[in-house]
Amino acid sequence: MALSRAAVLENSADLGIVFDTDVDRSGVVDREGNPINGDRLIALMSAIVLREHPGTTIVTDARASMALTRFIIDRGGQHCLYRVGYRNVIDKGVRLDKNGVETHLMMETSGHGALKENYFLDDGAYMVVKIIIEMVRMKLAGSDEGIGSLIKDLEEPLESVELRMNIISEPRHAKARAIDVIETFRSYVEEGRIEGWELDSCGDCWVTDGCLVDSNDDPAAVDAYMYRAKVSDEKLGQHGWIHLRQSIHNPNIAVNMQSMAPGGCLSMTKTLRDKFLVASGMDKILDITQIDNYMKTRLEK
């Protein structure tokens, strides 16, 4: 993204385009040099798709921001937060659409994405073509604002953090121990043991169940366990979320956090450590070095 940004600014280009090597992930840079990836790319594609298909459902992974949900809803769409993993996200969209819930866009924050009009294919090039067509359409309509203007009201999270906790176990036992940790986390939140934390949901599609329970005759297989909790307090209301996910490929657990409040991620990390990891004894089977180091670094600032 940095190289593309420099090229756009040096050449006064209208758009920079970024692909990964097999062109199933993509991102763009607007004419001002602003990188558009992650939540910003999903928001841009949502704005385009919702103009063409008002009211459609958009499926993303559960690491998408609260601001992205508001962005989609403000434009008349529905936001389905689903499980991490681009195939999970795309397959969820296929099932929803098959069951009568019109679903035209499925995107993971990693840059993977698919459109119903493109046969639900994981295709970064097709997404970029959609963006180029929209940019040309805007120019022909007399607009000189650039593609970035479509997401100018998307609020950015103030803080965003990802940490990892390695599982202290023989490799053959790591998966079972990871499931124990994730399910214990779910129990702690459900039982109200962590004040201000509540399992998150998006209407009929519950992230409380990690979307593990599908209302289909042929429910999807679970490749990794994960839950997301929304975080609130009396002063700020809901100001962030935390997502715990069993890694599919490695013996660790990923912790993703976002907050709209200064110091929110530090506060969530401290609560996670003291009220869950230590209180439940999970710190005995997890290496929480990254948790401790993050807290130490932030407290020293």
Side-chain angles (χ1 to χ4, degrees):
M1 295 302 285
L3 291 171
S4 297
R5 179 180 187 276
V8 167
L9 295 175
E10 287 170 10
N11 294 280
S12 300
D14 289 321
L15 190 72
I17 299 169
V18 183
F19 295 118
D20 69 348
T21 51
D22 57 354
V23 201
D24 57 2
R25 289 190 296 156
S26 58
V28 297
V29 177
D30 72 11
R31 67 179 190 178
E32 305 297 329
N34 298 311
I36 301 178
N37 55 2
D39 280 358
R40 292 169 60 83
L41 182 62
I42 298 174
L44 177 57
M45 288 301 303
S46 298
I48 295 170
V49 169
L50 283 166
R51 183 179 61 79
E52 298 172 342
H53 305 283
T56 192
T57 292
I58 292 162
V59 183
T60 74
D61 64 282
R63 294 172 297 187
S65 69
M66 297 181 297
L68 178 62
T69 299
R70 289 194 294 271
F71 183 92
I72 292 169
I73 291 173
D74 287 348
R75 282 157 180 75
Q78 301 296 320
H79 186 196
C80 172
L81 289 163
Y82 195 56
R83 305 177 64 251
V84 174
Y86 74 93
R87 282 296 353 153
N88 291 330
V89 171
I90 294 172
D91 289 347
K92 178 66 175 180
V94 171
R95 291 197 301 276
L96 284 173
D97 198 75
K98 183 180 178 181
N99 291 341
V101 180
E102 187 180 87
T103 307
H104 283 273
L105 177 66
M106 300 116 262
M107 288 192 71
E108 193 183 37
T109 48
S110 63
H112 285 282
L115 288 146
K116 178 180 178 180
E117 68 187 58
N118 190 36
Y119 308 101
F120 299 103
L121 295 175
D122 180 29
D123 189 344
Y126 193 90
M127 295 219 176
V128 167
V129 169
K130 291 283 290 185
I131 292 169
I132 293 171
I133 290 171
E134 182 66 18
M135 183 179 70
V136 173
R137 187 194 70 79
M138 292 172 67
K139 280 183 172 287
L140 292 176
S143 172
D144 196 37
E145 289 188 299
I147 201 74
S149 65
L150 295 181
I151 57 171
K152 61 185 177 183
D153 58 337
L154 175 68
E155 191 178 3
E156 301 284 347
L158 189 62
E159 299 178 349
S160 186
V161 175
E162 178 174 321
L163 303 169
R164 297 271 174 166
M165 301 184 293
N166 289 328
I167 299 162
I168 304 170
S169 168
E170 293 182 25
R172 60 179 176 164
H173 299 309
K175 183 174 182 179
R177 288 202 168 186
I179 293 172
D180 286 343
V181 172
I182 300 297
E183 288 301 306
T184 303
F185 173 74
R186 176 189 60 79
S187 296
Y188 263 62
V189 177
E190 274 190 336
E191 294 167 8
R193 298 194 201 184
I194 308 176
E195 186 178 358
W197 289 26
E198 180 183 352
L199 289 179
D200 208 349
S201 68
C202 56
D204 294 331
C205 179
W206 284 85
V207 179
T208 26
D209 296 319
C211 273
L212 306 181
V213 181
D214 286 315
S215 57
N216 297 292
D217 294 331
D218 53 343
V222 177
D223 52 7
Y225 286 77
M226 59 192 77
Y227 294 99
R228 169 168 148 168
K230 55 187 177 184
V231 179
S232 308
D233 61 34
E234 291 183 0
K235 181 179 179 181
L236 298 171
Q238 185 183 345
H239 60 81
W241 57 258
I242 180 167
H243 184 268
L244 264 64
R245 170 174 58 90
Q246 172 196 6
S247 174
I248 298 173
H249 304 294
N250 301 300
N252 64 45
I253 289 173
V255 182
N256 288 90
M257 291 174 280
Q258 282 189 5
S259 179
M260 305 303 293
C265 285
L266 175 60
S267 176
M268 284 188 280
T269 304
K270 187 176 188 308
T271 299
L272 176 72
R273 185 192 189 284
D274 296 344
K275 303 295 185 182
F276 171 61
L277 296 172
V278 174
S280 66
M282 292 297 152
D283 61 324
K284 302 296 191 299
I285 65 172
L286 294 171
D287 178 356
I288 62 171
T289 301
Q290 285 195 23
I291 301 288
D292 289 336
N293 287 344
Y294 173 73
M295 289 175 56
K296 181 180 177 182
T297 302
R298 289 300 306 271
L299 288 170
E300 288 175 349
K301 289 184 177 180

